[in-house]
Amino acid sequence: MLESVEQVEELLVAHGYIAERSLCTAVFLALRLERPLFLEGEAGVGKTEIAKTLADALSRPLLRLQCYEGIDRQTALYDWNYARQLLHIRLREAGKGDHEDESWEERVEKEVYSERFLLRRPLLQAISTTPAPVLLIDEVDRSDVEFEAFLLELLAEFQVTIPELGTIHATEKPLVILTSNRTREMHDALKRRCLYYWIDYPTIEKELRIVTEHVPNLAQSLTRSLCLFIQRLREEPLYKVPGLAETIYFAQALEALHVRVLDEAVLCDTIGCLLKYRDDLELLTGEQGRARVAHLLAEV
C-alpha cells in the first residue's frame, strides 16, 4: 500500500509516466478509499496509459474493457460456452442408455451451468481475481445509456449475481479506471460513484519532460523546437489538435529520419504524424498554409 502522494508520484515517474501532483493525489485517493477513478480529457493525453502504468508499477494484472456502441452485459460480464454445453449434453445422452432416470435432466442441467462452462469477461474477472487487478473501462462514453446504468450497480457493490451460480463478491476491490473522450456526457449518477479528474493537454515543461523520457536520443534543441511547435499548433483552429501521443510519435519519426532541424520541408514530409483529418492538413498546405507554418516555425 502506497502511504503518500509523493510515493505515487515517484512510482509513476520510475515507470515512465510524468504526472501533476493533483493527478497523483487522485490516484492515491482511489487506492486508499477504494473508489473508481473517472478520467476525462481529449484523446491522446494519457488517460489509458496511466492505467497500464499503474498495473505495471503495482504488479497487478491489467484487465481492459474497451467500450463501444452496443456493448452489452454478456460481452462485459459473463457468458456461457454454449458449444461446450451442447457437446456435454450430447455425450451424456449417448451414455444414458435405455433406463429411465427422472433426475437425469436435473443433474445434466447442474453440470452444464457450472464454473467449467462459464466464460468470464473482464468485469467478472475483475471481482474474482486475486490479487486485485487494475480494471480499465476504456472510452466508457462510447457505450449506451443502458450499459452505463449496469455499471452503476457493479461499481456500487463490486458484486454480481449469476442466477445459476449465485452471488459473487469481490474479495479484494480492483482499482477501477474509467476513461472518457466526452463524445457524450455521462450521467451524474456514474460520476458520483467515482473520483473525477480532467487531464488537459500538457504544459510545455511537462511535454518536454515526457518526450525526453520516451525519446531520449533526440537532440534536446530539436525536442524543444518540436514541443514548442506543437504547443503553437494547438492554438490553431483545427478539427482535432494533436495530443501528447502524437507528440511522441512525431519525435520518434524525427529520430528515425535522423532529423537535426525542424523546418518546412521536414514538416511537409511528416505532418501525418500530427494531423489525421484532411481539413486540418489543408489548413497547413497551399500558399496560405505554408505562410501559416512559416509563422509557427518562426515562433519556435
Side-chain angles (χ1 to χ4, degrees):
M1 176 64 70
L2 297 171
E3 297 297 333
S4 66
V5 175
E6 288 76 17
Q7 285 187 347
V8 173
E9 186 172 10
E10 291 170 3
L11 190 66
L12 291 176
V13 170
H15 287 79
Y17 193 98
I18 298 170
E20 293 85 352
R21 180 180 174 84
S22 54
L23 177 55
C24 295
T25 302
V27 171
F28 173 75
L29 292 175
L31 287 165
R32 179 58 62 89
L33 303 179
E34 296 184 320
R35 295 276 300 278
L37 176 59
F38 191 103
L39 301 176
E40 274 194 326
E42 299 295 337
V45 294
K47 302 185 297 297
T48 299
E49 193 62 30
I50 193 169
K52 296 178 180 178
T53 303
L54 284 169
D56 185 35
L58 299 171
S59 299
R60 295 192 187 188
L62 174 66
L63 297 176
R64 180 174 182 172
L65 177 63
Q66 180 64 51
C67 296
Y68 55 86
E69 185 177 353
I71 189 172
D72 56 17
R73 183 187 183 98
Q74 286 71 33
T75 305
L77 188 59
Y78 76 92
D79 205 349
W80 294 103
N81 192 329
Y82 298 114
R84 287 191 63 198
Q85 285 176 322
L86 182 59
L87 178 61
H88 181 78
I89 292 171
R90 288 178 175 175
L91 290 173
R92 293 287 280 154
E93 285 178 339
K96 178 184 176 183
D98 297 328
H99 63 277
E100 294 294 331
D101 187 349
E102 295 181 356
S103 63
W104 181 85
E105 290 185 2
E106 294 181 3
R107 292 203 310 270
V108 173
E109 183 178 355
K110 288 181 180 180
E111 290 172 357
V112 296
Y113 287 108
S114 60
E115 287 275 356
R116 61 183 292 199
F117 297 105
L118 183 66
L119 297 175
R120 295 174 180 266
R121 305 304 189 191
L123 296 183
L124 181 56
Q125 292 180 46
I127 64 174
S128 57
T129 298
T130 305
V134 174
L135 172 61
L136 170 61
I137 304 177
D138 212 9
E139 297 184 331
V140 68
D141 53 314
R142 295 185 181 275
S143 65
D144 301 324
V145 175
E146 292 77 9
F147 183 75
E148 183 182 348
F150 161 69
L151 282 179
L152 293 177
E153 178 185 358
L154 181 75
L155 296 180
E157 305 296 336
F158 285 100
Q159 68 178 36
V160 61
T161 299
I162 302 175
E164 299 84 358
L165 298 178
T167 302
I168 299 176
H169 303 264
T171 54
E172 297 179 37
K173 290 185 180 180
L175 171 59
V176 181
I177 307 289
L178 301 97
T179 73
S180 168
N181 296 332
R182 294 193 70 189
T183 58
R184 71 173 178 90
E185 288 295 332
M186 305 303 297
H187 198 279
D188 289 343
L190 181 64
K191 289 186 176 181
R192 282 200 304 269
R193 285 163 171 78
C194 306
L195 298 168
Y196 179 84
Y197 191 87
W198 172 268
I199 300 183
D200 209 343
Y201 291 113
T203 62
I204 180 62
E205 292 80 11
K206 179 181 176 181
E207 200 154 20
L208 277 169
R209 288 182 62 193
I210 293 171
V211 175
T212 301
E213 176 73 27
H214 285 83
V215 196
N217 295 326
L218 198 67
Q220 191 63 30
S221 58
L222 180 57
T223 299
R224 184 168 186 82
S225 294
L226 73 88
C227 288
L228 284 170
F229 175 78
I230 291 174
Q231 291 276 329
R232 300 292 183 270
L233 192 61
R234 291 188 182 124
E235 299 172 0
E236 296 295 313
L238 300 173
Y239 177 76
K240 175 63 180 73
V241 300
L244 181 56
E246 283 74 30
T247 304
I248 295 173
Y249 299 153
F250 187 43
Q252 292 170 339
L254 297 184
E255 181 185 33
L257 294 170
H258 306 290
V259 171
R260 301 299 180 192
V261 178
L262 187 64
D263 55 27
E264 291 183 46
V266 170
L267 282 172
C268 181
D269 292 338
T270 59
I271 195 66
C273 296
L274 296 175
L275 305 180
K276 314 296 182 179
Y277 291 90
R278 182 178 180 180
D279 291 347
D280 290 343
L281 291 171
E282 290 178 347
L283 186 68
L284 298 181
T285 58
E287 185 174 343
Q288 292 184 345
R290 287 195 296 271
R292 188 187 297 265
V293 169
H295 176 71
L296 292 175
L297 287 172
E299 294 182 345
V300 303

